[in-house]
Amino acid sequence: MPPVLRKTRFVCVSDTHNASPTNGAFKLPRGDVLIHAGDLTNQGSLSELRTTVDWIENADFEAKIVIAGNHDITLDADFYEEQGLYFHNQHPQEPQDCLHLLTSSPSIKYLSHQSAEIRLTKQGGPQTTFNIFGSPYSPARGLWAFGYPPERAAQLWDQVPLDTDILITHTPPKFHCDESGGRGAAGCEILRQTLWRVRPRLAVCGHIHEGRGAERVLWDLAAPNIKYKENDTAYWKDPGRDNNKQSLVDLTAKGGAALDNDGFHNVGVSGAEPIVRPVLPFSKSTFEPSAEKKKNIDRESSVSVSHLVGLETGSSAVGTSSTKSTESSGTQSVECTISFPEQSTIVSFLSADARAPFSSSGINDVPSATRGQGGLPPSRRCDLEALSGRMGRRETCVINAAIMASSWPHKGSGGKKYNKPIVVDIDLPVWDSSALETD
């Protein structure tokens, strides 16, 4: 039986750099979940972080999920120990105190290369659930925190669980919401490849201020000869540009543009038969297919592969609060957003055995030659770990939610400029069947 879906509203921000609703830089629309994709501050001082934590805690959302960015230097203790005096030579900060502001918050879920299962339990809320992974890392450029060199990218991003529904990273993936005036495509290619394998519903990022926007990426899962292939990209037209409307991305079925992603993750099943179903082209006016996509629509009908087995959803009594934690994986199950459990052990991407051996599809020893390769399971010529039981995960919406529209030193453009938060409506599975009685 397919899961029951319900609209859940996410309000996404990133790169606020000390800007906030309280100082008038932007307004926060109402929603169910607030996501902040890093660069909360300019240099991560305790006073900067305290001000930022205050406005996030006071924001009216059932769940508030936060990661750091390269400017939040005190939250990267190893970096700050080596380089902190270059920034705070007159007033050195205590990284433990800075981190404690976030990890001790009763209403903020702070993720540092970690997973969490979120269940929205508020009475009158959507009562939906999703798996989320948040990471502060970005490709090393200059003297900033959470940077990684190219040779460490694969080890880092391979730690993203395949059952992730929503991925939050400070850096964007390469070629998607990452265009910088001075650097061209400034995102991470290995992260883009990870998106092909994981195929989350949403990938929320920031970092590149000029890349603010949204793109719907349709993955090619059948190509036998080209790895990590994309079928097409549709580009968002901001309905809130230069007016008083919200910057809304509607990915719901009711809105006429449901995301082609069933969120299914069939652990341990590698040989089930797929079925073929038709795919509707992007139909919402706020997204525009590329010229290539328009030609393909005219020339032939698109098809996608979906799995026969339905998504199994858990259930739990409303109002309970419990946590399931695995120290080696940094994974948590959060069943109540009123208060969160203590932060689990942070997974370091420098650790040789981090998340290993990770094979969430139940398929071990996937040949490296087939990694990223399209095809139809159970053929061993394709990436079985990424595809088996997961062929219904065909599309990802990438959101760059940078609030700061200008870049340092903010000269020649009239000073600092700000974007609106990006509001995302998306259908997610209801975790509590009793919630259906209220519909």
Side-chain angles (χ1 to χ4, degrees):
M1 181 178 178
V4 176
L5 304 178
R6 181 176 286 165
K7 184 184 81 171
T8 307
R9 173 160 288 190
F10 291 79
V11 176
C12 304
V13 300
S14 183
D15 297 82
T16 49
H17 292 284
N18 295 330
S20 71
T22 56
N23 60 29
F26 60 93
K27 296 181 180 179
L28 271 182
R30 293 186 177 183
D32 302 303
V33 181
L34 175 66
I35 290 178
H36 197 307
D39 276 3
L40 301 95
T41 66
N42 285 326
Q43 293 187 357
S45 69
L46 185 64
S47 61
E48 287 178 300
L49 285 166
R50 183 179 288 116
T51 300
T52 300
V53 168
D54 283 348
W55 75 256
I56 294 178
E57 286 185 333
N58 289 327
D60 187 16
F61 293 84
E62 184 176 355
K64 289 168 274 193
I65 304 163
V66 174
I67 66 170
N70 60 304
H71 276 259
D72 305 315
I73 60 174
T74 55
L75 301 181
D76 185 347
D78 290 339
F79 172 86
Y80 195 77
E81 182 179 2
E82 294 182 3
Q83 312 292 351
L85 290 181
Y86 286 101
F87 296 87
H88 302 144
N89 60 324
Q90 298 297 320
H91 303 283
Q93 306 291 296
E94 290 293 337
Q96 290 184 345
D97 294 341
C98 294
L99 182 61
H100 185 70
L101 285 173
L102 289 158
T103 58
S104 66
S105 172
S107 64
I108 293 174
K109 186 63 197 163
Y110 177 70
L111 296 176
S112 185
H113 211 64
Q114 292 168 289
S115 293
E117 179 188 354
I118 305 296
R119 290 188 177 188
L120 302 179
T121 62
K122 183 178 179 181
Q123 187 71 26
Q127 304 278 299
T128 51
T129 182
F130 53 92
N131 294 329
I132 195 162
F133 185 91
S135 178
Y137 293 103
S138 56
R141 293 189 181 97
L143 194 65
W144 295 104
F146 298 110
Y148 59 88
E151 62 270 19
R152 295 217 183 256
Q155 182 185 5
L156 173 68
W157 296 122
D158 193 43
Q159 296 169 24
V160 179
L162 291 180
D163 64 352
T164 299
D165 297 306
I166 298 171
L167 178 62
I168 310 174
T169 59
H170 188 55
T171 182
K174 194 165 188 178
F175 303 128
H176 297 293
C177 298
D178 72 329
E179 186 173 354
S180 170
R183 291 181 299 208
C188 177
E189 169 59 19
I190 301 301
L191 177 58
R192 189 196 70 82
Q193 295 176 12
T194 298
L195 288 184
W196 184 95
R197 301 193 79 238
V198 177
R199 302 186 300 284
R201 287 178 164 104
L202 295 180
V204 183
C205 60
H207 192 43
I208 308 302
H209 299 180
E210 302 92 331
R212 187 258 188 187
E215 300 179 11
R216 293 178 62 158
V217 183
L218 193 64
W219 306 105
D220 189 334
L221 306 183
N225 299 317
I226 302 176
K227 292 188 175 185
Y228 308 108
K229 187 179 178 183
E230 300 173 11
N231 187 41
D232 201 14
T233 301
Y235 300 92
W236 179 60
K237 293 167 56 180
D238 185 355
R241 183 176 181 179
D242 299 326
N243 57 46
N244 293 324
K245 296 180 180 180
Q246 291 182 346
S247 292
L248 175 65
V249 177
D250 191 344
L251 303 175
T252 64
K254 185 176 181 180
L259 200 69
D260 189 9
N261 191 321
D262 61 11
F264 190 78
H265 184 70
N266 192 13
V267 177
V269 176
S270 61
E273 294 293 327
I275 58 175
V276 177
R277 61 184 174 83
V279 177
L280 296 176
F282 300 120
S283 58
K284 194 66 177 176
S285 60
T286 53
F287 279 91
E288 292 184 334
S290 67
E292 180 183 355
K293 177 68 176 179
K294 292 176 181 177
K295 292 178 182 178
N296 290 339
I297 292 173
D298 292 338
R299 185 166 56 245
E300 59 184 357
S301 298
S302 299
V303 295
S304 70
V305 181
S306 182
H307 208 276
L308 282 169
V309 185
L311 174 66
E312 295 182 359
T313 57
S315 61
S316 176
V318 176
T320 62
S321 177
S322 63
T323 302
K324 301 173 184 178
S325 175
T326 304
E327 285 192 348
S328 62
S329 65
T331 301
Q332 295 179 315
S333 173
V334 181
E335 297 184 358
C336 179
T337 57
I338 303 302
S339 62
F340 289 100
E342 183 177 351
Q343 185 86 352
S344 67
T345 302
I346 293 176
V347 179
S348 171
F349 75 92
L350 297 176
S351 174
D353 61 349
R355 304 268 334 187
F358 180 76
S359 180
S360 57
S361 68
I363 302 168
N364 297 314
D365 302 323
V366 176
S368 58
T370 64
R371 190 178 181 87
Q373 196 77 52
L376 288 178
S379 169
R380 290 195 171 272
R381 288 186 169 183
C382 66
D383 188 337
L384 285 175
E385 185 182 45
L387 300 179
S388 294
R390 311 177 71 251
M391 298 296 281
R393 300 170 72 117
R394 297 187 66 249
E395 186 182 10
T396 298
C397 186
V398 179
I399 307 286
N400 182 325
I403 290 293
M404 188 69 70
S406 54
S407 297
W408 187 88
H410 308 287
K411 294 180 179 179
S413 59
K416 293 182 180 180
K417 294 183 178 180
Y418 303 100
N419 295 310
K420 296 178 180 178
I422 295 181
V423 180
V424 183
D425 287 345
I426 188 168
D427 297 324
L428 292 175
V430 173
W431 67 271
D432 182 12
S433 60
S434 65
L436 301 178
E437 299 176 1
T438 63
D439 287 349

